[in-house]
Amino acid sequence: MYIQRSIWSLQFLLLATYVRAQSSINNLTLSFSANDGQGNVTFSTASAPSTIACFNLADIFNNDGNASSASSYVVSNAQNFNSQTNYTSLFYQQLNTSVNGDSSGIGTGKDAARTVEVFPGEDCRETGGLSWYGFSCQNEDGERYVIPGGVQSFSIVSKAESVKQEHCWVLSERGSASNNFKGCFAAVMAAALTGTLLVLG
Ligand SMILES: *[C@@H]1O[C@H](CO)[C@@H](O)[C@H](O)[C@H]1NC(C)=O
Ligand SMILES: *[C@@H]1O[C@H](CO)[C@@H](O)[C@H](O)[C@H]1NC(C)=O
Ligand SMILES: *[C@@H]1O[C@H](CO)[C@@H](O)[C@H](O)[C@H]1NC(C)=O
Ligand SMILES: *[C@@H]1O[C@H](CO)[C@@H](O)[C@H](O)[C@H]1NC(C)=O
Ligand SMILES: *[C@@H]1O[C@H](CO)[C@@H](O)[C@H](O)[C@H]1NC(C)=O
């Protein structure tokens, strides 16, 4: 899986640079902690990748921070990361910026620039019959959510390239354990991951 992650990261970097050059979107901030909200580890990016970028908490936070210095995301409080912690609390903040002086697209509850999905297993997979959750609405001040199954990985993709949504997502329960499962995205992810495993195996 290391190779696949590297490919994802590389694509993320390339696409991130590309996307950033042409649109003005604010940072996305994701902060993870245990139930008490203390000792968070925080991820922030100004990019909206046009292909799915998957991140394992254990990969991006479980180092001394050097790895992220050349990337299009920054982590903070990585020293708080503990592989034994069940990261069931997510602070989510994402806001559009004005486009050519037009600020009508800015506001909590409106479509954001990216779809974020948080997964109970590594490599953006479901595990143990637990659901994953999607977020794609803006939230100006940021909000803390309880993720029942905890988070071990998350994905980011520009909303335009994400699965079609009737209304943007706020803690939208997804996956095989939920009633919202449409088979689409999870199946695509599963196929992509299986393909990777077959290639690497
Ligand atoms: C994360 O923890 C730091 C202190 O270590 C705090 O200043 C910050 O507000 C926390 N962020 C969130 C989103 O809870
Ligand atoms: C946005 O994120 C970038 C890193 O991706 C960081 O350098 C910058 O300080 C952040 N800006 C704000 C306003 O948080
Ligand atoms: C991180 O950077 C420091 C200072 O540049 C260096 O001494 C250390 O070996 C680096 N760690 C890793 C894991 O690359
Ligand atoms: C927010 O920005 C994204 C990316 O530029 C755009 O696709 C989306 O439509 C914007 N949201 C609104 C409500 O205009
Ligand atoms: C985290 O806690 C939830 C809720 O108690 C549980 O369902 C999940 O299995 C836990 N995850 C891990 C990795 O321990």
Side-chain angles (χ1 to χ4, degrees):
M1 289 315 293
Y2 177 74
I3 293 173
Q4 175 63 9
R5 278 202 290 271
S6 300
I7 293 170
W8 266 326
S9 300
L10 182 58
Q11 286 180 340
F12 185 74
L13 278 180
L14 294 173
L15 292 162
T17 308
Y18 175 71
V19 170
R20 188 159 43 189
Q22 35 181 276
S23 64
S24 51
I25 48 175
N26 259 9
N27 285 0
L28 163 74
T29 298
L30 301 173
S31 187
F32 304 90
S33 56
N35 273 338
D36 59 8
Q38 302 300 305
N40 66 68
V41 290
T42 299
F43 168 99
S44 177
T45 185
S47 309
S50 55
T51 56
I52 295 168
C54 177
F55 301 90
N56 289 319
L57 269 54
D59 292 336
I60 60 173
F61 296 120
N62 204 6
N63 60 48
D64 55 14
N66 292 13
S68 69
S69 59
S71 308
S72 55
Y73 63 87
V74 290
V75 297
S76 50
N77 300 328
Q79 74 280 359
N80 287 337
F81 183 76
N82 183 337
S83 59
Q84 302 305 308
T85 298
N86 193 344
Y87 288 95
T88 49
S89 174
L90 167 69
F91 174 87
Y92 164 94
Q93 187 174 32
Q94 182 173 196
L95 191 70
N96 277 22
T97 54
S98 50
V99 179
N100 300 325
D102 177 4
S103 59
S104 62
I106 303 178
T108 298
K110 295 182 178 176
D111 282 359
R114 322 163 180 80
T115 295
V116 175
E117 299 173 354
V118 297
F119 294 84
E122 291 207 312
D123 302 322
C124 296
R125 295 182 203 235
E126 296 174 13
T127 182
L130 298 164
S131 299
W132 53 273
Y133 293 82
F135 297 83
S136 60
C137 293
Q138 298 175 50
N139 193 309
E140 181 168 9
D141 298 325
E143 196 161 335
R144 192 173 297 286
Y145 299 94
V146 173
I147 309 295
V151 180
Q152 290 196 37
S153 62
F154 62 91
S155 69
I156 300 174
V157 68
S158 79
K159 188 154 185 303
E161 301 301 324
S162 176
V163 59
K164 291 265 179 300
Q165 298 158 26
E166 277 175 39
H167 190 272
C168 62
W169 290 340
V170 177
L171 188 64
S172 177
E173 185 179 4
R174 302 275 139 179
S176 57
S178 81
N179 295 325
N180 278 323
F181 184 52
K182 300 279 194 286
C184 180
F185 181 73
V188 170
M189 278 303 287
L193 290 164
T194 308
T196 305
L197 291 177
L198 289 175
V199 169
L200 294 178

